[in-house]
């Protein structure tokens, strides 16, 4: 089906077959290039799938400017995946998540016109809707970032003053805005912040109960310099590290993406070890069952850190800047802004999140509290 206001997008199958035919001609001529094959198999496959998802499956495809926004958002998600090594399926899920939010917000923008007895103008519907999605979805993140930016030692610049592409990535710019007073940069910034947040949130399921942690990781990703994956995740040379960690060479058959394994998992491991010994299997329902430390079954001891303590750490700019420690004892925020995300692989999360560094009060759990409240 041909989208309204734009040309029909080429099918994924057509793009793939065209690339294969080109590569086969190279084989016949004896000049086949392995890079040509890799580009066919992976380099543009994700972007093509995402763009196809928009232009063939979403009701957004009929709106003015849809083809431009489809290409821009697909290339943005693709660039973020390649830069930070998010899981492919997670990227697709969050792209669909964005389209769902965008579609719902378009309906709400149209409803505002109907309620005001005005005709619905679809010309700028996609642009206005994404601005509303940015304001609503990232309300907490934007307030958190403002507080961090106002704390001088954090050395966090405004997006306008940063002067670099967000996250050090390159992607196709969205259509020229008709509403945003700041021009293309404002619309690109909104899309990039939404996409980065959704991708971090999507892979951060085990730390999603601490929203400030998601904000923290998102901000570091958006402020990152352009780096290779090897530099971004502090990949070890073949032979592994002194701690016995497996070397991150190309031949290692990892099941998880680097973002998940090098950023999210170490945080959750430190949190898990605060309360639990190990994960067992329930003999009755065959589900995972976490084994609490001895004497933790009834109440957590008064000096054990919990989610509230960790949330408070990441909510307080002063404590956050002072409290996130690297394995060499230095502080994360002593690193240059553009290299802080890369330094996440060297954060000592056990030391950073331990109760002695995060708990500001004792929590005594007792039935005597019933009498104390009367």
């Amino acid at each position: 089906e041909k989208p309204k206001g734009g040309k029909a997008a080429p099918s994924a199958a057509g793009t793939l077959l065209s690339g294969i035919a080109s590569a086969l001609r190279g084989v016949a001529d004896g000049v086949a290039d392995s890079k040509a094959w890799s580009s066919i198999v992976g380099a543009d496959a994700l972007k093509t799938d995402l763009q196809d998802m928009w232009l063939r499956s979403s009701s957004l495809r009929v709106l003015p400017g849809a083809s431009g926004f489809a290409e821009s958002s697909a290339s943005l998600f693709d660039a973020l995946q390649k830069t930070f090594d998010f899981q492919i399926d997670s990227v697709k899920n969050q792209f669909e998540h964005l389209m769902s939010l965008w579609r719902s917000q378009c309906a709400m923008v149209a409803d505002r016109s109907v309620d005001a007895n005005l005709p619905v103008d679809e010309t700028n519907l996609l642009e206005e809707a994404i601005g509303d999605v940015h304001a609503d979805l990232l309300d907490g993140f934007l307030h958190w970032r403002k507080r961090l930016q106002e704390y001088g030692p954090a050395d966090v610049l405004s997006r306008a003053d940063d002067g670099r592409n967000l996250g050090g990535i390159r992607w196709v710019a969205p259509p020229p805005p008709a509403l945003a007073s700041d021009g293309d940069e404002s619309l690109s910034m909104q899309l990039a912040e939404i996409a980065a947040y959704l991708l971090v949130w999507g892979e951060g399921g085990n730390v999603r109960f601490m929203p400030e942690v998601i904000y923290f990781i998102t901000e570091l990703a958006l402020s990152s310099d352009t780096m290779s994956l090897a530099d971004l995740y502090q990949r070890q040379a073949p032979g592994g590290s002194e701690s016995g960690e497996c070397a991150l060479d190309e031949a290692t058959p990892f099941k998880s993406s680097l973002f998940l394994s090098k950023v999210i998992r170490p945080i959750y491991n430190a949190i898990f070890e605060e309360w639990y010994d190990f994960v067992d299997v329930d003999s009755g329902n065959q589900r995972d069952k976490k084994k609490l430390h001895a004497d933790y079954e009834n109440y957590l001891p008064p000096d054990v850190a919990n989610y509230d303590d960790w949330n408070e750490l990441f909510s307080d700019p002063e404590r956050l800047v002072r409290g996130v420690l690297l394995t060499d004892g230095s502080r994360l925020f002593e690193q240059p802004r553009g290299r802080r995300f890369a330094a996440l692989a060297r954060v000592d999360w056990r030391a950073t999140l331990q109760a002695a560094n995060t708990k500001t009060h004792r929590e005594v759990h007792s039935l005597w509290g019933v009498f104390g409240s009367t």
Side-chain angles (χ1 to χ4, degrees):
E1 182 179 351
K2 183 177 179 180
K4 180 179 178 181
K7 297 180 180 179
S11 68
T15 301
L16 182 62
L17 290 173
S18 175
I20 291 176
S22 176
L24 288 175
R25 285 194 297 271
V27 172
D29 295 337
V31 293
D33 186 349
S34 61
K35 291 183 179 180
W37 284 105
S38 64
S39 65
I40 293 168
V41 175
D44 292 325
L46 177 60
K47 178 184 174 182
T48 300
D49 287 347
L50 298 179
Q51 195 167 347
D52 194 64
M53 190 187 302
W54 178 303
L55 293 176
R56 295 185 180 278
S57 306
S58 173
S59 58
L60 295 173
R61 70 186 186 277
V62 302
L63 293 173
S67 59
F69 278 107
E71 183 180 15
S72 177
S73 54
S75 69
L76 171 59
F77 274 71
D78 178 65
L80 286 168
Q81 190 282 322
K82 288 181 172 63
T83 300
F84 297 103
D85 196 37
F86 294 110
Q87 297 179 103
I88 296 291
D89 287 342
S90 179
V91 173
K92 291 180 178 179
N93 288 340
Q94 293 310 314
F95 188 80
E96 189 171 2
H97 186 183
L98 171 61
M99 288 195 300
S100 176
L101 294 171
W102 210 333
R103 182 174 60 247
S104 296
Q105 198 63 47
C106 282
M108 295 175 68
V109 172
D111 285 346
R112 289 202 295 262
S113 296
V114 173
D115 292 341
N117 294 319
L118 297 173
V120 176
D121 183 4
E122 296 184 347
T123 305
N124 304 314
L125 195 56
L126 284 169
E127 180 188 338
E128 187 173 353
I130 199 61
D132 288 354
V133 170
H134 180 266
D136 292 344
L137 180 66
L138 300 186
D139 181 64
F141 169 72
L142 296 174
H143 281 86
W144 175 89
R145 190 183 191 279
K146 184 175 184 292
R147 293 197 306 272
L148 187 64
Q149 183 184 334
E150 291 173 347
Y151 182 61
D155 190 25
V156 173
L157 299 178
S158 68
R159 294 280 183 243
D161 294 334
D162 211 341
R164 291 179 293 104
N165 283 335
L166 300 174
I169 65 173
R170 301 288 189 273
W171 75 95
V172 177
L179 298 175
S181 58
D182 294 332
D184 293 358
E185 293 79 8
S186 177
L187 193 55
S188 293
M189 176 271 292
Q190 291 176 347
L191 275 172
E193 288 189 335
I194 292 170
Y197 173 80
L198 287 177
L199 291 176
V200 172
W201 181 87
E203 301 224 10
N206 284 337
V207 297
R208 201 179 291 164
F209 44 79
M210 299 185 296
E212 286 80 4
V213 174
I214 301 296
Y215 301 159
F216 166 74
I217 298 171
T218 301
E219 173 58 27
L220 295 192
L222 287 167
S223 301
S224 176
D225 289 336
T226 304
M227 298 184 192
S228 67
L229 285 175
D231 292 332
L232 201 62
Y233 291 109
Q234 306 291 310
R235 299 169 80 168
Q236 302 290 333
S241 65
E242 293 180 0
S243 63
E245 182 181 358
C246 183
L248 293 175
D249 61 284
E250 297 296 338
T252 304
F254 279 101
K255 294 182 179 180
S256 301
S257 69
L258 288 172
F259 178 82
L260 181 64
S261 62
K262 303 296 284 186
V263 176
I264 298 300
R265 187 175 297 153
I267 298 175
Y268 181 69
N269 285 345
I271 292 170
F272 180 91
E273 292 169 3
E274 183 75 13
W275 292 6
Y276 303 102
D277 285 326
F278 57 87
V279 178
D280 201 355
V281 177
D282 190 300
S283 58
N285 56 29
Q286 298 301 306
R287 295 179 179 176
D288 290 347
K289 180 175 66 175
K290 300 174 183 176
K291 175 62 177 176
L292 287 162
H293 296 319
D295 302 327
Y296 281 30
E297 286 81 1
N298 295 323
Y299 300 107
L300 292 177
D303 296 314
V304 170
N306 57 45
Y307 301 143
D308 289 340
D309 300 310
W310 296 316
N311 274 323
E312 288 178 11
L313 171 66
F314 286 91
S315 298
D316 186 332
E318 182 178 358
R319 292 182 61 201
L320 178 62
V321 169
R322 185 180 67 247
V324 182
L325 306 175
L326 303 183
T327 52
D328 62 4
S330 63
R331 294 184 172 89
L332 174 71
F333 279 84
E334 292 173 352
Q335 298 289 312
R337 285 188 304 274
R339 300 196 63 84
R340 289 172 185 168
F341 183 90
L344 284 177
R346 297 187 286 113
V347 170
D348 187 341
W349 289 112
R350 289 178 177 84
T352 296
L353 300 179
Q354 67 179 337
N357 291 336
T358 59
K359 203 159 190 69
T360 58
H361 58 281
R362 303 190 80 211
E363 298 182 51
V364 179
H365 303 273
S366 170
L367 289 176
W368 288 109
V370 175
F371 301 99
S373 62
T374 58

